[in-house]
Amino acid sequence: NLNRSGAPFTIASFFDIPHLEMSRYKVIIFCHPFEIDERRREILERFVCHSGRTVFWSYGPGVIHQGKWCEERVREVCGTPFGTPGISMAEFPAWRSGYVFEPQKLTPERVRELLKEAGVWLYASAPRPVSVNERLLGVHTGMAERLTLSLPRRYRVLTELFSGAVFRDTDLVELESFGPDTWLFRLES
């Protein structure tokens, strides 16, 4: 469902984290990190769990400890007991922790709400795939609809590269599709 959040994202392994520019990430989502050994714990403390960031954990973060099932360890890792239903938030001095025991219950709309609460910019007005970097913005829809793209700052020129449509001095673009469609914009400051 992160694909359809309307926000860009990066997928990385645990051991990629030390090599990423972490200051740009407001939210980190860990999918089933069952074992959090000392090496992973150090990565969390050094690169992830600080700077006002929100970290989401699914199912049982750290539930395997020294080769054994240890449900108490989940609370130590994320601040919420193992198996807590719904979405539980725990506040730490320098970061927030969100625990989701049943990640399949997260709809694209709920993912959008959680990202927005964490300060993530949502580019698309509806849950749609978005990719963005300093020069390009891409968005896809699978249906006929009106979609609004909202950018975090104004651009001198936005050029939709497939159609050639040009939008000037704006941070908002209204789009209309008549079925599945993809737009790719060149961003010029």
Side-chain angles (χ1 to χ4, degrees), residues 87-104:
I87 300 168
S88 301
M89 299 302 294
E91 299 290 332
F92 289 89
W95 63 288
R96 295 178 70 216
S97 176
Y99 175 69
V100 183
F101 179 65
E102 299 173 289
Q104 68 273 18

Side-chain angles (χ1 to χ4, degrees), residues 53-68:
R53 191 172 287 126
T54 300
V55 181
F56 286 101
W57 314 86
S58 61
Y59 187 68
V63 75
I64 305 296
H65 184 61
Q66 296 177 344
K68 295 185 173 117

